[in-house]
Amino acid sequence: MLVTDASLHVVRLPLVHRFQTSSHAKDYLEHVLVRLVDESGAVGWGEIASPSHPYYSSETVDTCLLIAERYLLPAVIGQRWEHPAQVPELWSRVRGHQFAKAGVDMAAWVLWAEHTGVPLASALGGTRGEVVAGVSLGIEASVDALLDEVRRQVEAGYPRVKLKIAPGWDVEPVRAVRAEFGELLLHVDANGAYGEASDELRTLRALDEFGLTMIEQPFAPRNLVAHAALQRDIATPVCLDESIDTVDDLRTAIALDAGRVVNIKVSRMGGLGTAVAAHDLAAEHGLPVWCGGMHEFGIGRAANVALSSLPGFTLPSDVSASAKYYERDIIRPPVVADAGVVTVPTGAGLGHDVDVEYLASATINRVTVGSQ
Ligand code: OSB
Ligand code: MG
């Protein structure tokens, strides 16, 4: 394939429910959509799902736009490739910037899968026709408000709920949710908000008694040693998210036994090819994985569904229906979940159409890169 033209579209969608994590709160999200056009005029879309602020990773919408425009797209345009796994080699000199890379990589996979006539899931090695979705709930104003939200999601059929925690919002909400929902698959995600002071370690150890499926990213991303020490102390699996940007990070985490579950996020790992490689490595070591989300719009969400169809994704993924986040999504049909189960599309490529008219109306900035 030969990409001749590309554009970057900053799209803003309002969230149906305000989302608060240990670091920030959001009412709307802006993601950068990547449109690649090949010499025959075929189009492939990808999504850069970076948050606007550098609180989850060091990237932002602005840095992604800059890196994609100045380095990634110029590296791809005019270069012939046979398979999307070759595309990251074109920008191998660019260090880091995983979110920006992930969106361009995804567009290349979608372009190739559509051109070749295979579903994205099969192109990635997916084997499952359905994937199980879980929901991720932010920090709420009160325990009662959280219980209402959990009830709403359980009634919608989701079999797994993840709760964001932070110092001061941890044991009490978890105890309350566990008391009302004894059987629910429940896990917590701290986004690195805990330190190694003895009171914070005590709190994390106290979470061991609630039968959680995992405690996700309690400590700072590079602090693998603290994760390994906590994992030695508790029976609940520690899950790594922000700590794993590359397959090498995963090898290090496995060597240190720093976690017994891996959250594989396409965005954080720089693309679909790396996510598949991480899945394969985890499977070799018997580590269960699940696909994490970044509140993706439909394009990134559909790619997460495709990835989650690989056999090692044995835990529910963050691929809840578009409607949990957005009144109207930019793909048709939107991603839908039936009793917490999402059907993997069987059509070529993404398996959804991009709603270009709605996308245009929600676009706040557009940059063109290419030969014309
Ligand atoms: O840590 O998984 C996270 C959203 C933004 C930043 C970090 C995270 C999240 C989520 C989103 O939990 C879950 C989803 O997309 O459904
Ligand atoms: Mg997380």
Side-chain angles (χ1 to χ4, degrees), residues 19 21 24 49 51 56 134-137 160 162 164 189-191 216-217 241-242 263 265 290 292-296 301 304 317-320 324-325:
F19 193 79
T21 71
H24 62 294
Y56 169 81
V135 292
S136 170
L137 302 184
R160 177 276 262 168
K162 130 170 161 183
K164 292 286 181 185
D189 182 4
N191 289 109
E216 182 177 345
Q217 199 71 40
D241 176 357
E242 287 90 327
N263 168 341
K265 244 178 221 181
W290 55 286
M294 290 303 300
H295 298 163
E296 281 84 355
R301 190 166 293 276
N304 286 345
S317 291
D318 275 346
V319 289
S320 35
K324 174 176 182 287
Y325 293 110

Side-chain angles (χ1 to χ4, degrees), residues 59-365:
E59 294 180 79
T60 70
V61 169
D62 293 330
T63 70
C64 288
L65 206 53
L66 177 87
I67 295 294
E69 179 187 3
R70 201 173 291 174
Y71 299 98
L72 306 179
L73 295 175
V76 172
I77 288 169
Q79 300 294 322
R80 206 169 277 286
W81 45 274
E82 302 305 320
H83 188 271
Q86 297 162 341
V87 170
E89 292 165 19
L90 300 172
W91 58 62
S92 61
R93 289 192 298 157
V94 180
R95 293 239 164 101
H97 299 286
Q98 309 298 62
F99 278 77
K101 288 173 179 173
V104 184
D105 169 280
M106 187 188 297
W109 278 92
V110 171
L111 177 65
W112 181 85
E114 268 168 31
H115 173 85
T116 314
V118 298
L120 180 60
S122 321
L124 295 170
T127 51
R128 231 178 263 144
E130 291 180 334
V131 304
V132 180
V135 292
S136 170
L137 302 184
I139 293 170
E140 295 288 339
S142 66
V143 169
D144 282 342
L146 177 68
L147 287 169
D148 286 347
E149 194 54 31
V150 175
R151 223 170 279 128
R152 214 181 337 269
Q153 302 305 336
V154 169
E155 278 162 16
Y158 289 107
R160 177 276 262 168
V161 169
K162 130 170 161 183
L163 309 177
K164 292 286 181 185
I165 58 164
W169 176 266
D170 38 44
V171 175
E172 192 199 344
V174 169
R175 177 172 288 124
V177 172
R178 190 40 106 204
E180 185 171 334
F181 303 92
E183 299 298 304
L184 182 66
L185 288 177
L186 187 65
H187 93 245
V188 294
D189 182 4
N191 289 109
Y194 291 80
E196 295 170 84
S198 56
D199 57 328
E200 298 201 354
L201 292 178
R202 208 171 315 120
T203 301
L204 293 170
R205 284 195 216 102
L207 292 171
D208 209 16
E209 68 173 89
F210 298 108
L212 302 175
T213 329
M214 66 193 92
I215 298 178
E216 182 177 345
Q217 199 71 40
F219 305 110
R222 302 272 73 78
N223 196 350
L224 285 168
V225 170
H227 289 92
L230 180 67
Q231 185 67 92
R232 281 195 294 276
D233 268 8
I234 61 174
T236 308
V238 170
C239 169
L240 298 172
D241 176 357
E242 287 90 327
S243 291
I244 311 293
D245 284 348
T246 64
V247 174
D248 288 342
D249 287 341
L250 180 55
R251 289 174 52 212
T252 306
I254 292 170
L256 291 172
D257 194 15
R260 307 255 162 91
V261 173
V262 189
N263 168 341
I264 296 185
K265 244 178 221 181
V266 177
S267 300
R268 198 196 61 229
M269 299 207 69
L272 287 161
T274 318
V276 171
H279 158 275
D280 295 349
L281 179 64
E284 253 173 59
H285 290 269
L287 286 183
V289 303
W290 55 286
C291 172
M294 290 303 300
H295 298 163
E296 281 84 355
F297 300 171
I299 296 168
R301 190 166 293 276
N304 286 345
V305 170
L307 180 70
S308 302
S309 74
L310 270 72
F313 285 84
T314 52
L315 294 163
S317 291
D318 275 346
V319 289
S320 35
S322 304
K324 174 176 182 287
Y325 293 110
Y326 307 104
E327 204 79 58
R328 179 168 171 189
D329 205 341
I330 51 156
I331 55 167
R332 275 195 299 224
V335 172
V336 291
D338 182 10
V341 173
V342 179
T343 302
V344 180
T346 50
L350 207 56
H352 297 259
D353 289 327
V354 174
D355 183 347
V356 286
E357 274 161 37
Y358 180 52
L359 190 147
S361 72
T363 297
I364 57 172
N365 185 16

